[in-house]
């Protein structure tokens, strides 16, 4: 009897060892992520987060594909048309990825989010669909326009931050004579000038009410003075050499490098750029970099002293996933934008939508961004409320205007013609 007992015990031990040696069954989830792998800081920060997820969830195998800028949006749209969307994809809360979120191709995340809403700031969970749907879980709340200021260079040049647009223009000659770039920007991809500057200018000249009327054609259009004057500001900046040389040929990141190297007095970009500044600038530089908005314009019937703000981007999931794969996909979505991923991203300078306690060594520039977001009002980001396809008209139109091939009025007319004939807001 004792021999039989030991034989059974031995078989049980061997069986347990064999089971432990077998890899745990995994759910494979394909993920299409908006990430520039050439951006070393962003890539390294994301890899830290991804590694942490894999350690916490060995039962989920993530297979990533990465693109950025227009190639990302072009591929996402092509995948949607071919009905070949990945399991998880990076999405925008508004119309920038509306061909996916507005077509029933992604799941409403509210069933998985229920009970955890209080973790996020109220603005982060603003409805993204007509019935209150949440298509993607925001990673942060984003100001798409920040005017980063090198206060040390201003002091060196005997200048102070301009109160008006004209004062800014008057600084140009002094800044260029000293060998510096007045305003660092790059616009090869086109979205930067629209999202990071034009949207904020339209918030000043027209505000949310005017843009709502223009996008729906309710007594306003994009040929109105509110839009033309905002475009004219960009043309004037270009004509008076206030922007980076070759701005429309410059890849995204060139302007950031110029600002980090203190070759430019100002940088206009989104709030997300704080992450890069934290990684690439020294602690000494943190102290004399401030965050502001564009100076006052001559005509402002919209929101004074404002930026452009949008609920942040984040991951959503394919509507065709069965329950098991959807639950696995949610583990990644929740990890990325929820408390665990937010703590990792916050450590590197991000301001997450999830309300997590700041570490004692929270970066100085991130604190400045937090203060900025808490004190500056915001208007709409144009590509968040207008159909994405129209950006294929507006973005090159702005570039042609800056090259001198179109006037501000002609650029506005081109875009209005497209909107009137095609944008879903005109119904």
């Amino acid at each position: 009897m004792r021999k039989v007992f030991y034989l059974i015990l031995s078989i049980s031990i061997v069986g347990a060892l064999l089971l432990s040696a077998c890899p745990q069954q995994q759910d494979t989830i394909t993920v299409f992520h908006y990430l520039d792998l050439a951006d070393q800081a962003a890539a390294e920060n994301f890899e830290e987060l991804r590694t942490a997820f894999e350690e916490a969830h060995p039962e989920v195998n993530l297979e990533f594909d990465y693109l950025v800028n227009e190639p990302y949006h072009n591929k996402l749209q092509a995948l949607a048309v071919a009905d070949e969307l990945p399991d998880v994809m990076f999405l925008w809360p508004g119309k920038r990825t509306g061909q996916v979120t507005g077509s029933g191709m992604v799941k409403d995340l509210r069933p998985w989010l229920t009970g955890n809403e209080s973790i996020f700031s109220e603005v982060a969970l603003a409805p993204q669909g007509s019935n209150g749907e949440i298509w993607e879980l925001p990673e942060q709340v984003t100001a798409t326009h920040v005017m980063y200021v090198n206060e040390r260079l201003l002091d060196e040049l005997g200048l102070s931050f301009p109160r008006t647009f004209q004062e800014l223009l008057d600084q140009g000659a002094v800044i260029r004579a000293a060998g510096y770039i007045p305003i660092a920007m790059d616009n090869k991809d086109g979205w930067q000038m629209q999202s990071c500057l034009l949207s904020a200018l339209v918030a000043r000249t027209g505000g949310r009410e005017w843009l709502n009327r223009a996008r729906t054609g309710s007594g306003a259009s994009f040929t109105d003075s509110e839009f033309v004057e905002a475009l004219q500001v960009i043309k004037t900046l270009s004509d008076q050499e206030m922007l980076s040389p070759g701005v429309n040929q410059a890849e995204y990141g060139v302007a950031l490098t110029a600002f980090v190297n203190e070759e430019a007095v100002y940088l206009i970009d989104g709030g997300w750029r704080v992450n890069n500044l934290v990684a690439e600038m020294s602690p000494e530089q943190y102290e004399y970099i401030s965050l502001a908005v564009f100076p006052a314009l001559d005509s402002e019937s919209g929101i004074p002293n404002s930026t452009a703000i949008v609920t942040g981007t984040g991951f959503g999931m394919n509507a065709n996933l069965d329950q098991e794969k959807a639950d696995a996909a949610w583990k990644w979505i929740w990890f990325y934008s929820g408390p665990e991923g937010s703590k990792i991203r916050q450590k590197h300078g991000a301001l997450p939508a999830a309300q997590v306690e700041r570490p004692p060594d929270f970066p100085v520039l991130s604190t400045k961004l937090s203060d900025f977001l808490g004190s500056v009002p915001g208007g709409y980001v144009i590509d968040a409320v207008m159909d994405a396809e129209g950006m294929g008209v507006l973005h090159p139109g702005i570039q042609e205007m800056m090259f001198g091939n179109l006037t501000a009025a002609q650029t506005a007319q081109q875009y209005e013609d497209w909107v009137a004939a095609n944008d879903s807001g005109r119904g």
Side-chain angles (χ1 to χ4, degrees):
M1 186 69 181
R2 181 176 295 178
K3 290 182 179 179
V4 173
F5 171 76
Y6 283 121
L7 177 61
I8 294 173
L9 180 61
S10 298
I11 292 172
S12 298
I13 293 172
V14 170
L17 290 171
L18 287 173
L19 285 173
S20 65
C22 294
Q24 184 175 3
Q25 184 175 357
Q26 291 182 310
D27 289 304
T28 295
I29 301 296
T30 56
V31 184
F32 190 24
H33 189 18
Y34 187 92
L35 179 67
D36 184 2
L37 295 177
D39 184 337
Q40 185 176 355
E44 289 178 354
N45 295 349
F46 177 73
E47 188 59 31
E48 179 181 343
L49 193 149
R50 175 181 175 176
T51 300
F53 174 82
E54 290 172 347
E55 292 174 352
H57 294 282
E59 74 280 7
V60 181
N61 175 44
L62 300 177
E63 293 183 352
F64 281 90
D65 184 18
Y66 305 98
L67 277 176
V68 72
N69 292 325
E70 289 309 309
Y72 178 89
H73 293 285
N74 293 339
K75 182 171 181 177
L76 183 67
Q77 187 168 5
L79 291 170
V81 170
D83 195 22
E84 295 178 354
L85 286 174
D87 300 328
V88 172
M89 67 228 77
F90 201 72
L91 298 170
W92 273 244
K95 286 191 173 184
R96 190 66 179 98
T97 51
Q99 73 275 15
V100 175
T101 57
S103 60
M105 293 185 175
V106 295
K107 290 184 183 290
D108 180 5
L109 299 180
R110 287 180 296 175
W112 288 271
L113 185 60
T114 299
N116 291 310
E117 294 90 344
S118 62
I119 293 173
F120 293 84
S121 61
E122 184 176 351
V123 67
L125 295 185
Q128 298 168 8
S130 58
N131 296 311
E133 296 93 342
I134 300 294
W135 306 123
E136 51 90 6
L137 191 61
E139 57 179 336
Q140 60 187 0
V141 176
T142 303
T144 65
H145 166 80
V146 179
M147 197 160 179
Y148 297 94
V149 184
N150 188 316
E151 300 284 357
R152 187 191 68 78
L153 290 183
L154 282 179
D155 289 343
E156 175 188 310
L157 298 171
L159 302 172
S160 58
F161 189 79
R163 295 169 298 172
T164 67
F165 179 39
Q166 186 58 54
E167 286 183 10
L168 174 64
L169 294 176
D170 291 343
Q171 290 183 357
V174 176
I175 295 172
R176 289 191 300 273
Y180 298 117
I181 300 166
I183 303 172
M185 286 194 76
D186 31 34
N187 192 49
K188 182 177 181 179
D189 303 297
W191 65 263
Q192 297 96 325
M193 201 61 67
Q194 172 270 131
S195 182
C196 300
L197 183 52
L198 180 63
S199 292
L201 296 175
V202 169
R204 305 284 189 82
T205 58
R208 288 176 177 264
E209 182 182 352
W210 175 84
L211 189 50
N212 277 329
R213 291 191 293 113
R215 68 187 182 87
T216 57
S218 304
S221 79
F222 289 97
T223 57
D224 291 350
S225 61
E226 288 86 348
F227 198 66
V228 175
E229 289 174 7
L231 287 168
Q232 185 61 51
V233 170
I234 295 175
K235 179 167 174 54
T236 300
L237 289 171
S238 180
D239 290 348
Q240 298 199 20
E241 299 180 344
M242 294 295 292
L243 302 171
S244 299
V247 57
N248 286 314
Q249 291 83 33
E251 298 279 0
Y252 191 50
V254 171
L256 175 77
T257 299
F259 189 72
V260 168
N261 292 337
E262 303 201 29
E263 298 166 0
V265 174
Y266 304 111
L267 167 70
I268 293 180
D269 209 317
W272 56 84
R273 272 311 197 192
V274 161
N275 298 349
N276 299 87
L277 295 177
V278 167
E280 298 180 32
M281 282 188 150
S282 67
E284 291 76 18
Q285 289 176 299
Y286 298 166
E287 300 300 328
Y288 54 78
I289 301 301
S290 62
L291 282 62
V293 294
F294 201 82
L297 306 178
D298 292 338
S299 176
E300 293 192 347
S301 57
I303 311 168
N305 302 314
S306 59
T307 180
I309 295 177
V310 67
T311 301
T313 49
F315 287 103
M317 69 172 84
N318 193 319
N320 294 327
L321 298 186
D322 61 28
Q323 190 64 44
E324 181 181 345
K325 290 205 74 172
D327 288 343
W330 175 251
K331 290 178 181 178
W332 165 250
I333 295 170
W334 177 250
F335 188 92
Y336 182 84
S337 292
E340 293 171 281
S342 293
K343 288 177 182 176
I344 294 172
R345 289 184 292 105
Q346 182 176 250
K347 181 176 66 176
H348 296 289
L351 284 175
Q355 301 180 71
V356 294
E357 185 178 356
R358 291 184 187 176
D361 58 347
F362 194 59
V364 171
L365 285 177
S366 299
T367 299
K368 291 181 179 181
L369 176 61
S370 179
D371 293 342
F372 174 89
L373 291 170
S375 61
V376 177
Y380 290 121
V381 180
I382 294 170
D383 66 11
V385 296
M386 304 301 299
D387 285 356
E389 295 83 355
M391 297 304 107
V393 175
L394 181 58
H395 293 172
I398 294 171
Q399 291 174 326
E400 287 299 308
M401 178 188 71
M402 294 171 70
F403 285 132
N405 298 327
L406 292 173
T407 65
Q410 289 170 331
T411 304
Q413 185 67 63
Q414 279 191 358
Y415 185 54
E416 169 60 26
D417 290 344
W418 186 93
V419 170
N422 302 284
D423 196 274
S424 59
R426 293 290 175 92

